[in-house]
Amino acid sequence: MTETAQTAVGHQSTPAGRGVRLPRTARRAQLLAAAQDVFVTNGYHAAAMDEIAERAGVSKPVLYQHFPGKLELYMALLESHVDELVARVRGAIESSSDNKLRVHAAVAAFYDFVDGEGQAFRMVFESDLRGEPAVAQAVERATTDSVDAITDTITADAGLDEDRARLLATGLVGLSQVTARAWLADERKVPKDEAVTLISNLAWRGIGGGFPLQH
């Protein structure tokens, strides 16, 4: 989430009042921040544009000037969160040439995303609108693009064909996502750094122990 959007979230109890003119990009960020709160709290179906406008401190016409409808607003948020997750995973894979460190960084990327401000992960992994094709496609992209980023490295370094490398990458993504959400649901009882180390060691013993990865 952008700094402007975070500022909007931080001041949601006293939002910019009606009649306060903001630059278009700042207003859009403010509306997205308000919508994020409402969608995460209520889910898509129970969220109302009236409530989002009120949370942002604007009139409904102002909200509709930026987003034609609730689905378009939801999709703008969802796509930005998917982009953020994929960027985190790609950054993790590119952060080192040491494959053990890459695995650790990839696991950490999912934990950091799940632990991020605004609970963006709920829209990506727990959306109540997966029956909508555009939403389903965006949610699927969060997984496939993450898998793609990891597959390329495993293919290059493990001496495996793409199909087998992709299966391993899918396992790492699934392990990271599921355990990160379980860790959060369990109220972070294990410190995050320790949780990431536990899971990355588990993944590395499988990937690093079974294939001739270069270090």
Side-chain angles (χ1 to χ4, degrees):
M1 189 178 296
T2 64
E3 181 178 351
T4 306
Q6 290 173 348
T7 301
V9 171
H11 292 79
Q12 64 187 27
S13 59
T14 56
R18 300 177 192 275
V20 176
R21 188 171 184 84
L22 295 176
R24 185 172 181 81
T25 54
R27 179 67 79 188
R28 180 182 172 89
Q30 179 196 30
L31 297 175
L32 288 170
Q36 173 76 17
D37 289 342
V38 175
F39 284 134
V40 166
T41 301
N42 301 337
Y44 177 84
H45 295 291
M49 294 292 271
D50 284 332
E51 183 178 359
I52 293 170
E54 182 179 355
R55 182 73 63 94
V58 302
S59 65
K60 278 182 68 176
V62 170
L63 179 56
Y64 281 112
Q65 285 174 9
H66 291 263
F67 301 99
K70 186 167 72 167
L71 179 59
E72 289 79 6
L73 177 53
Y74 188 86
M75 286 303 304
L77 274 170
L78 178 59
E79 292 285 2
S80 70
H81 296 329
V82 170
D83 288 343
E84 178 192 350
L85 174 59
V86 173
R88 285 179 181 271
V89 174
R90 286 178 176 158
I93 295 301
E94 294 169 0
S95 66
S96 175
S97 59
D98 183 303
N99 285 302
K100 184 175 183 179
L101 294 179
R102 281 172 170 165
V103 169
H104 186 278
V107 173
F110 282 90
Y111 276 74
D112 289 342
F113 179 70
V114 165
D115 197 33
E117 183 178 355
Q119 296 186 310
F121 80 96
R122 297 196 184 280
M123 293 186 65
V124 178
F125 299 132
E126 301 173 7
S127 174
D128 61 343
L129 196 61
R130 293 197 179 205
E132 172 66 37
V135 172
Q137 184 175 5
V139 170
E140 179 65 17
R141 183 168 69 83
T143 297
T144 57
D145 283 11
S146 297
V147 168
D148 285 346
I150 298 169
T151 297
D152 291 342
T153 297
I154 293 178
T155 300
D157 290 352
L160 294 176
D161 60 62
E162 184 177 350
D163 290 337
R164 288 168 176 79
R166 177 171 293 278
L167 191 58
L168 284 175
T170 301
L172 178 58
V173 167
L175 176 67
S176 302
Q177 180 210 127
V178 171
T179 60
R181 291 167 61 195
W183 167 80
L184 190 66
D186 200 32
E187 301 178 343
R188 305 178 179 88
K189 291 178 181 176
V190 178
K192 183 166 66 173
D193 288 348
E194 183 180 348
V196 169
T197 298
L198 284 170
I199 299 306
S200 63
N201 283 346
L202 172 64
W204 178 248
R205 284 169 184 162
I207 296 174
F211 306 97
L213 288 171
Q214 300 169 1
H215 297 275

